[in-house]
Amino acid sequence: GRHREELALAQEACRTFPAELETRFTEIRALIALGRLHDVQTRLEEALARGPGRGWTVGELLLQVSHELEAHQQSTLARQVAERAAQWYRDRLAENAPGDTPGDTPGDTPTEAALGGLAQAFQSSGALQKADSVLTLLLNHAPGDVHHLGRAGVVAAALGNGEGARQALEGLSGIDTPYAFGAPLYWRAAISAHLGNLEVAAELLVQAFESGRRVGSFIHADINLKPLWHTQAFRNLV
């Protein structure tokens, strides 16, 4: 919660690594926490004008900014930024897949990555039916992908499709691959949270972290865990 110190360190990082979007995000994240929304928009436009460095894409930056805004109760601005992310991923699909229906065959890595990003952007902007359609396409291409299956379950639960969410839970429960690092447990937690099973979700999330799920400051704004954000168990975990 020491956001002024966070901002000072982030600004030092930006001076040291001016081309990295992930570094730019640290400054924007601190400004969001401080409620300086005009500065948030200014810094975001500056980062977008600079373009990507060696790390994050523009789409990833927009998504992370959207999630931080949502976590700090700035839902309208969060949705607007997520919609910009969706447009960015649409543009990438148009570049990688010629024709009138870009992204129909996600056989190449850039296209599949862009479709995954587009699904996230639709989810974050509240366009859940569109997210569901993109995830159906991805699962048809890679039916065993734990992340596509998990996100599809979250979106199904958010749409009120309990049967679809439960099918995703069953599919994730059956995944037993080496070096999963808690991914199936994490997605089961996210789906359970969106189904309203908050205690179960919190327990699964702890198990996911104990199994190697990556831990970082981003957790507090993880949009897949939004139903848990205001629970005491989640606050304790963060």
Side-chain angles (χ1 to χ4, degrees):
R2 292 153 55 188
H3 298 300
R4 287 183 176 81
E5 292 177 61
E6 178 188 9
L7 178 61
L9 287 166
Q11 289 172 336
E12 182 181 347
C14 288
R15 289 190 292 271
T16 307
F17 304 102
E20 302 302 319
L21 290 184
E22 187 171 1
T23 306
R24 293 279 164 182
F25 170 70
T26 64
E27 180 184 17
I28 294 169
R29 179 182 62 196
L31 290 168
I32 291 171
L34 290 167
R36 293 170 53 178
L37 297 185
H38 176 74
D39 290 334
V40 167
Q41 292 174 294
T42 299
R43 293 293 182 270
L44 179 58
E45 295 305 325
E46 289 173 356
L48 296 177
R50 185 180 292 273
R54 294 171 296 175
W56 285 7
T57 66
V58 168
E60 288 171 314
L61 173 65
L62 288 166
L63 281 174
Q64 293 303 317
V65 170
S66 171
H67 297 168
E68 282 289 331
L69 286 164
E70 186 68 39
H72 288 275
Q73 292 81 51
Q74 300 295 334
S75 297
T76 299
L77 186 54
R79 182 165 296 198
Q80 292 171 357
V81 174
E83 288 169 352
R84 292 182 69 179
Q87 187 57 56
W88 187 86
Y89 283 110
R90 283 197 194 96
D91 292 343
R92 302 293 77 72
L93 286 165
E95 292 171 3
N96 286 300
D100 294 330
T101 54
D104 280 351
T105 54
D108 62 296
T109 300
T111 298
E112 187 164 358
L115 283 169
L118 182 60
Q120 290 186 60
F122 282 148
Q123 177 190 356
S124 300
S125 67
L128 297 176
Q129 291 287 0
K130 292 181 179 179
D132 184 65
S133 297
V134 175
L135 288 162
T136 298
L137 178 63
L138 285 165
L139 284 170
N140 286 338
H141 170 68
D145 187 286
V146 64
H147 301 293
H148 299 334
L149 180 58
R151 192 175 301 281
V154 168
V155 169
L159 283 168
N161 178 7
E163 180 60 28
R166 284 187 286 273
Q167 287 179 0
L169 280 174
E170 290 176 7
L172 290 164
S173 297
I175 294 176
D176 185 23
T177 56
Y179 309 111
F181 297 108
L185 288 162
Y186 163 81
W187 284 112
R188 285 169 60 195
I191 297 168
S192 297
H194 282 268
L195 287 173
N197 302 323
L198 300 184
E199 290 186 9
V200 171
E203 291 173 3
L204 287 167
L205 191 58
V206 170
Q207 292 175 36
F209 291 134
E210 289 175 346
S211 300
R213 180 73 183 178
R214 189 164 68 95
V215 178
S217 58
F218 59 88
I219 293 167
H220 85 100
D222 187 336
I223 199 74
N224 297 308
L225 304 175
K226 185 177 178 180
L228 286 173
W229 285 356
H230 302 297
T231 66
Q232 190 59 50
F234 187 74
R235 290 195 191 98
N236 291 343
L237 184 60
V238 171

